Amino acid sequence: MSLDWTQGTLTAGGKNLEYRCWGRPPSEAPTIVMLHEGLGATALWRDFPERIANATGFGVMAYSRAGYGQSDLADLPRPLDYMTREAVDVLPEVLEALGNDRVVLLGHSDGATIAAEYAGRVSDMRMRALILIAPHFFTEPSGLAEIEKAREAFETTDMRDRMAKYHRDPENTFRGWNDAWLAPGFKAWNVAEVIDYWRIPCLAIQGRDDQYGTLAQIEEIEGRTYSPVDTAIIEGARHAPHLEKPVETLDAVTDFCRRLEEIEAAQPEGV
């Protein structure tokens, strides 16, 4: 293991990124690597990583991408394929620093897309499974309308000050996400083809009332993947079911990880 199993910084993609760990270290258990949403950060997962570690017995590591939390600032403007670049250029270095040969990627929103792209674009035998919360593979008019509302809120309310509690540069954080999604060329963005190349189990979770994406995103997974997929549609939740309905979301994650362990334990050695 190359990094200290508590908290600190690691270097990936030429940037210093903050991270924090919970539960058992890589020498003792699989590690769930958590990738946050478009305005998220390590701290904004709240107590969810610790609860996952306690419930599953897995280790958990969360990190803040460049431009988020206390990590180095992002280079702006972000290219329209910034999630793909995070998946193929940055995440491999994060996983190399982690040093575990049994990894589950758990992503939320943008982070779920990055995790999905990694599984579809990078050949990595360390990967055991995907857990995707509110993933998006293509744009939808309703989601873009919500992102436009977020821009108005950032410019007219105290949103900037509230973000400053968690991000070293709220302007860099917000513009890096919002400007990319609202760029004219982004309306045609679609990375659903990566689903075709998954070869690991997936748990897809979405709030029934997600304001940023419809259930068409989950249906895209069900219609394309050749790998086992479980879905959990969380009633009464919107875009962040792990915060809005934490018990139901944690139950889905815990059950999925338990069955993953049972399947792997039943396989012949060396498989």
Side-chain angles (χ1 to χ4, degrees):
M1 181 176 61
S2 302
L3 53 80
D4 177 35
W5 190 252
T6 50
Q7 59 184 2
T9 60
L10 59 87
T11 301
K15 303 286 188 178
N16 292 319
L17 310 179
E18 66 169 351
Y19 73 88
R20 186 176 174 189
C21 304
W22 296 260
R24 298 161 68 191
S27 60
E28 298 179 7
T31 301
I32 296 174
V33 177
M34 301 182 69
L35 295 91
H36 60 74
E37 64 173 316
L39 293 181
T42 298
L44 287 167
W45 285 109
R46 313 296 185 182
D47 66 346
F48 196 56
E50 184 176 14
R51 297 180 69 180
I52 290 177
N54 291 339
T56 64
F58 288 23
V60 176
M61 190 267 267
Y63 72 99
S64 298
R65 298 189 296 277
Y68 297 97
Q70 303 309 309
S71 293
D72 285 350
L73 302 187
D75 299 325
L76 301 184
R78 290 189 187 274
L80 300 189
D81 64 346
Y82 73 93
M83 286 178 277
T84 301
R85 297 191 188 199
E86 285 284 345
V88 302
D89 296 334
V90 182
L91 185 52
E93 295 184 32
V94 173
L95 298 181
E96 190 63 29
L98 173 65
N100 196 339
D101 62 0
R102 295 177 294 166
V103 173
V104 175
L105 294 182
L106 187 160
H108 173 222
S109 194
D110 274 20
T113 303
I114 294 166
E117 290 210 61
Y118 185 84
R121 298 185 189 277
V122 180
S123 178
D124 188 346
M125 297 301 292
R126 297 170 296 187
M127 286 291 301
R128 294 297 192 262
L130 287 172
I131 301 173
L132 307 179
I133 302 176
H136 35 244
F137 300 98
F138 46 84
T139 59
E140 297 179 274
S142 57
L144 293 176
E146 289 294 326
I147 293 171
E148 289 180 355
K149 290 180 184 178
R151 179 173 61 185
E152 181 179 355
F154 186 78
E155 294 173 349
T156 62
T157 71
D158 65 346
M159 183 177 177
R160 187 191 313 265
D161 293 336
R162 289 185 282 112
M163 288 179 60
K165 297 177 182 178
Y166 302 99
H167 304 285
R168 61 188 292 186
D169 188 330
E171 186 80 20
N172 186 267
T173 299
F174 187 83
R175 297 302 179 190
W177 167 74
N178 195 262
D179 289 358
W181 272 87
L182 295 182
F186 203 78
K187 289 183 178 180
W189 174 81
N190 188 316
V191 295
E193 77 277 359
V194 300
I195 301 170
D196 301 342
Y197 299 97
W198 295 351
R199 295 298 181 264
I200 53 177
C202 172
L203 169 63
I205 301 172
Q206 185 158 340
R208 174 73 69 183
D209 304 315
D210 191 334
Q211 70 273 35
Y212 284 101
T214 71
L215 293 180
Q217 306 288 340
I218 303 299
E219 291 164 1
E220 191 77 15
I221 296 173
E222 294 175 316
R224 296 187 76 133
T225 185
Y226 292 93
S227 298
V229 59
D230 292 346
T231 60
I233 308 304
I234 308 298
E235 301 295 337
R238 302 183 77 202
H239 190 59
H242 58 292
L243 301 179
E244 298 153 350
K245 292 290 182 177
V247 173
E248 294 86 342
T249 306
L250 182 62
D251 285 349
V253 172
T254 302
D255 181 65
F256 179 74
C257 290
R258 176 187 56 78
R259 289 185 286 113
L260 182 66
E261 285 283 86
E262 289 175 351
I263 292 169
E264 293 205 348
Q267 290 180 343
E269 188 173 349
V271 173

